[in-house]
Amino acid sequence: MEMNKTRWCRATLLLLLSLALRGAAYLQERKNYIVHLRPREGADGGSVEEWHRSFLPQAAARLDSTADGGGDDGPRIIYSYTDVFTGFAARLTDEEAEALRATDGCARLYPEVFLPLATTRSPGFLGLHLGNEGFWSGSGFGRGVVIGILDTGILPSHPSFGDDGLQPPPKGWKGTCEFKNIAGGGCNNKIIGARAFGSAAVNSTAPPVDDAGHGTHTASTAAGNFVENANVRGNADGTASGMAPHAHLSIYKVCTRSRCSIMDIIAGLDAAVKDGVDVLSFSIGAYSGTQFNYDPIAIAAFKAMERGIFVSCAAGNAGPDPGTVGNGAPWMLTVAAGTMDRAIRTNVKLGNGEEFHGESLFQPRNNSAADPLPLVYPGADGFDASRDCSVLRGAEVTGKVVLCESRGLSGRIEAGQTVAAYGGVGMIVMNKAAEGYTTFADAHVLPASHVSYEAGAKIMAYLNSTANGTASIDFKGTIIGSYPSPAVTFFSSRGPSKASPGILKPDITGPGMNILAAWAPSDSHTEFSDGGADLSFFVESGTSMSTPHLSGIAALLKSLHPDWTPAAIKSAIMTTSDAVDRTGLPIKDEQYRHATFYAMGAGYVNPALAFDPGLVYDLHADDYIPYLCGLGLGDDGVTEIAHRPITCGGVKAITEAELNYPSLVVNLLSQPITVNRTVTNVGKASSVYTAVVDMPKDVSVTVQPPMLRFTELKEKQSFTVTVRWAGQPNVAGAEGNLKWVSDDYIVRSPLVIPPKGEQQ
């Protein structure tokens, strides 16, 4: 009897253990997916949520519809997308995912991926002033327009988000506010909506609050209200404001720190469109090179564009390599990053008398590196030390200025912390060759200077010429008028777009280097606070910073021209942009070479001209269908993007060059190519424009007709552009401009012939 009981207990334990292990394995096998469905035929099948549940296994669907939301593992359906995406996000096992893929009506499954997060001077640098002249005040500073920010949330108590002078939310606004227990802040007439999604909404009494700083920075850049005496430790001092300081903000927290789940991003886009935003600002990395029907963000943005919402996206920070640009769909504005004419200047002086300019946000009054000190380069001394100063074991740096190699986009402050920990009293960060002249104003923890590659090479040459090299670092504060400006930064992602190389991307360049804007408490910046007090403003760089500049400018244009389509606003921004710097010379890249259109897009944004562009190249949602069919995506692929059934056999497909875009990319081989364009008159009713072509002499361009006459506003005129080689084809390609010139306007479109190796 005792033996039988023992056997029974052992068998029971083994069974329970087996069930537990199988249950644990079952839970572990569940993964997050976005389920993309084909457009629903008819609306008789119940609610959208019920339709989505019908694709789950029966047991899971029953659990998901119960009050407990799906059992111990939570609901199987995480989001039901209703506005910008046909489908839902769900937790599925591998077997369930495979079964769902084979289900009629399922187009595609996307496994969950995480995307990275991609001022006082910029308004003035862009020609926006507080006086009555110009269009800033004339536009009402963006009054009445709602900008949706998809990012890490917002610090609502920051003075940049006060609502002095702002009107209540517009009629028909449907957004909600999730702030709870916020001391000194919450929703008001500036922040009219705030929501958090996914892990950003878990275990928090106030989910949309920014704990990373990034979202607060981008929101204030787009639409921060006026704040006087904004600075960081006395640097970059002035009146801070966003591009559209009287626009409303709606916040969608889809990121935590630097992690942004694609499921949460689509949920945020879905909510923003449903709420009724006018502009979407998206400073998040993208699927680079993925064709558009495999890119959930491009698919969602198409629906937003169709609803009349302007979508502004970061080009990415993967430059300067070609073909790295992301967010390349033509219905989105893709923004590159450029510099301004402000530097937070340092001066490095060597023992041989040579001096070099650099930058640093840390400008100490008690400067331990003011007098000449021994200069050392740890990477060359044979110890266990790295050239970028990430490791200094065995290197003798105590009491010295340490020369460190740049780590690229990050790591400079950490290098200074390492140098200081080993007794160094100063640091010079020198660029690698690919980084050229792009220098960051960082919040260093010791006297430091970030210098160009050219300066670094000369400092290295000096060190190699002497056994007793010395250096000192002097601090000059904020300098206005640095040259050349603007220039494209090294990190700004470059074209051509791999998804659609026949569309010029990026579209435009905006201020993205050393941008001062509002800040929220952040663990990553506590080393630069005063006794634990957090800074109200901070300086950051990236296409994350250039994107909200363009979002705010789009809001100004939307306020001035509420009837303009997103394509018309984009055209106005692109065709009025600057291809030359403040001295009238072509805009330069990080090497101070002539920047190509693949680096800067059409040029550097000039909002003071964009409000009255004369002519625009307009597009509506249906106009993209022939282009998408021409890309060879097939009926199913175009259907997925358009959110409705499309049969390309019934559509006259066009090439990328034939899309009515404000720029032209012509894959020119030996035969001439002719493309069509249509412009809409939004300037003066009675006006005459003449075609002016600026191209290298080995390229022949013919425009027919060469003159356009308009007699009324909103009148449309079409023309053809024929491009041919005047001699032998140039394998290096060519760049130039097509301009329509009247007495009052210059409407400029880039014209690009790609190098032979990049032609498709």
Side-chain angles (χ1 to χ4, degrees):
M1 184 71 179
E2 191 66 32
M3 180 65 71
N4 288 338
K5 185 182 292 185
T6 301
R7 287 176 178 172
W8 180 85
C9 289
R10 183 180 299 160
T12 302
L13 284 171
L14 288 171
L15 176 62
L16 290 173
L17 180 60
S18 173
L19 289 172
L21 289 172
R22 286 168 61 189
Y26 178 72
L27 292 178
Q28 290 169 3
E29 287 172 1
R30 290 187 186 177
K31 301 171 185 175
N32 293 339
Y33 293 88
I34 291 179
V35 181
H36 195 175
L37 303 176
R38 293 189 176 90
R40 190 180 185 187
E41 295 182 5
D44 300 328
S47 68
V48 172
E49 290 77 10
E50 290 171 335
W51 178 50
H52 291 168
R53 278 199 298 273
S54 72
F55 286 87
L56 294 178
Q58 289 186 359
R62 284 196 300 271
L63 274 174
D64 219 50
S65 63
T66 61
D68 66 5
D72 294 338
D73 193 33
R76 301 296 294 278
I77 290 184
I78 304 168
Y79 298 114
S80 278
Y81 305 126
T82 60
D83 280 59
V84 301
F85 201 87
T86 306
F88 57 94
R91 297 185 179 94
L92 304 170
T93 65
D94 291 342
E95 292 79 9
E96 290 168 344
E98 285 304 312
L100 210 159
R101 281 191 180 96
T103 302
D104 186 40
C106 177
R108 185 168 289 106
L109 264 66
Y110 302 93
E112 182 180 29
V113 297
F114 292 91
L115 300 178
L117 288 164
T119 75
T120 55
R121 178 57 186 161
S122 51
F125 184 70
L126 294 175
L128 304 176
H129 304 284
L130 283 172
N132 292 324
E133 70 279 6
F135 86 103
W136 205 17
S137 58
S139 69
F141 305 105
R143 185 172 293 118
V145 177
V146 183
I147 303 175
I149 306 288
L150 277 78
D151 216 295
T152 64
I154 197 169
L155 181 65
S157 58
H158 195 283
S160 290
F161 307 119
D163 61 357
D164 288 350
L166 269 69
Q167 298 173 343
K171 292 181 180 178
W173 174 246
K174 300 175 183 177
T176 58
C177 182
E178 294 181 353
F179 284 128
K180 300 174 184 177
N181 305 322
I182 301 296
C187 287
N188 54 18
N189 287 337
K190 166 58 73 175
I191 304 172
I192 63 172
R195 294 184 60 184
F197 298 86
S199 56
V202 176
N203 298 325
S204 175
T205 58
V209 172
D210 184 11
D211 59 358
H214 193 274
T216 298
H217 200 279
T218 57
S220 67
T221 300
N225 214 335
F226 296 102
V227 179
E228 295 181 355
N229 301 317
N231 64 80
V232 180
R233 288 277 182 91
N235 298 303
D237 185 60
T239 298
S241 78
M243 296 295 100
H246 285 180
H248 304 291
L249 285 167
S250 188
I251 305 303
Y252 303 90
K253 183 172 181 175
V254 297
C255 304
T256 57
R257 303 292 175 178
S258 61
R259 278 167 56 93
C260 311
S261 166
I262 186 62
M263 298 191 314
D264 300 338
I265 291 169
I266 300 302
L269 286 166
D270 201 59
V273 171
K274 198 178 304 180
D275 291 344
V277 303
D278 300 296
V279 175
L280 272 167
S281 191
F282 186 83
S283 290
I284 301 173
Y287 291 79
S288 179
T290 303
Q291 65 184 48
F292 300 137
N293 58 312
Y294 287 87
D295 182 348
I297 293 169
I299 294 168
F302 187 93
K303 194 65 176 179
M305 172 275 300
E306 192 172 34
R307 297 281 187 90
I309 299 168
F310 187 91
V311 183
S312 176
C313 294
N317 298 333
D321 292 337
T324 52
V325 67
N327 291 318
W331 47 88
M332 305 189 291
L333 184 77
T334 309
V335 186
T339 66
M340 297 186 296
D341 65 345
R342 180 183 67 197
I344 305 177
R345 181 67 55 78
T346 58
N347 200 52
V348 173
K349 186 173 182 179
L350 304 180
N352 63 0
E354 287 187 285
E355 296 188 36
F356 306 98
H357 292 319
E359 291 200 74
S360 174
L361 192 59
F362 180 51
Q363 303 254 328
R365 293 180 181 177
N366 298 318
N367 180 10
S368 58
D371 297 321
L373 294 170
L375 176 64
V376 295
Y377 180 45
D381 60 13
F383 295 104
D384 185 11
S386 58
R387 294 183 176 185
D388 62 10
C389 298
S390 57
V391 177
L392 289 179
R393 287 188 295 271
E396 181 52 57
V397 301
T398 301
K400 299 176 181 178
V401 175
V402 184
L403 180 64
C404 305
E405 192 174 79
S406 168
R407 299 188 208 176
L409 270 176
S410 61
R412 293 173 301 277
I413 293 175
E414 291 80 0
Q417 291 171 329
T418 303
V419 169
Y422 278 83
V425 295
M427 178 179 68
I428 301 169
V429 179
M430 60 178 181
N431 275 347
K432 297 176 183 177
E435 297 161 3
Y437 291 89
T438 300
T439 54
F440 293 83
D442 287 317
H444 291 292
V445 297
L446 79 173
S449 178
H450 185 186
V451 301
S452 69
Y453 172 73
E454 180 188 44
K458 291 179 179 178
I459 295 170
M460 280 294 301
Y462 163 69
L463 266 179
N464 291 332
S465 70
T466 178
N468 299 297
T470 63
S472 62
I473 303 173
D474 193 17
F475 297 96
K476 302 296 184 182
T478 304
I479 304 294
I480 302 296
S482 62
Y483 170 83
S485 66
V488 180
T489 64
F490 82 83
F491 55 78
S492 189
S493 292
R494 307 305 209 254
S497 164
K498 292 179 180 177
S500 184
I503 298 293
L504 180 63
K505 289 286 179 173
D507 291 306
I508 197 74
T509 298
M513 192 72 207
N514 298 328
I515 302 301
L516 182 141
W519 195 250
S522 167
D523 290 344
S524 63
H525 290 81
T526 53
E527 79 283 346
F528 196 57
S529 60
D530 291 309
D534 294 291
L535 298 168
S536 294
F537 292 88
F538 206 75
V539 169
E540 287 282 277
S541 300
T543 54
S544 282
M545 284 63 247
S546 55
T547 298
H549 279 91
L550 271 298
S551 307
I553 291 166
L556 295 176
L557 292 173
K558 186 77 174 177
S559 181
L560 278 166
H561 305 287
D563 59 330
W564 280 12
T565 64
I569 293 173
K570 177 196 280 192
S571 176
I573 289 171
M574 291 174 64
T575 61
T576 59
S577 63
D578 294 327
V580 297
D581 64 23
R582 296 305 164 91
T583 66
L585 296 174
I587 288 176
K588 296 176 174 60
D589 64 12
E590 77 287 344
Q591 303 295 341
Y592 286 175
R593 300 171 303 204
H594 186 166
T596 69
F597 289 128
Y598 284 128
M600 66 176 181
Y604 200 93
V605 64
N606 188 335
L609 294 179
F611 84 105
D612 186 18
L615 305 174
V616 294
Y617 295 81
D618 207 357
L619 284 164
H620 296 81
D622 286 345
D623 298 321
Y624 292 99
I625 304 303
Y627 153 80
L628 290 170
C629 288
L631 282 181
L633 304 182
D635 294 353
D636 289 344
V638 180
T639 294
E640 291 166 20
I641 297 168
H643 300 260
R644 61 185 187 275
I646 299 292
T647 303
C648 284
V651 175
K652 185 179 179 182
I654 61 173
T655 65
E656 296 162 283
E658 292 174 297
L659 184 68
N660 198 44
Y661 212 66
S663 55
L664 297 89
V665 177
V666 181
N667 288 312
L668 186 63
L669 298 174
S670 57
Q671 297 298 315
I673 292 179
T674 298
V675 298
N676 298 290
R677 286 290 188 273
T678 299
V679 288
T680 304
N681 182 22
V682 296
K684 295 189 175 180
S686 180
S687 52
V688 178
Y689 290 83
T690 302
V692 177
V693 177
D694 173 22
M695 286 292 287
K697 59 185 178 182
D698 57 350
V699 180
S700 172
V701 179
T702 304
V703 182
Q704 288 293 340
M707 187 174 291
L708 301 177
R709 297 179 181 274
F710 296 91
T711 59
E712 58 185 354
L713 291 176
K714 298 186 179 180
E715 181 183 353
K716 296 181 182 295
Q717 295 270 8
S718 296
F719 60 92
T720 64
V721 181
T722 301
V723 186
R724 59 171 56 85
W725 291 111
Q728 290 297 316
N730 187 342
V731 296
E735 288 191 351
N737 296 283
L738 165 63
K739 302 174 185 175
W740 286 106
V741 180
S742 75
D743 291 340
D744 302 290
Y745 303 99
I746 298 176
V747 185
R748 181 181 61 84
S749 291
L751 201 166
V752 177
I753 302 171
K756 186 176 180 181
E758 294 178 6
Q759 296 192 20
Q760 301 297 307

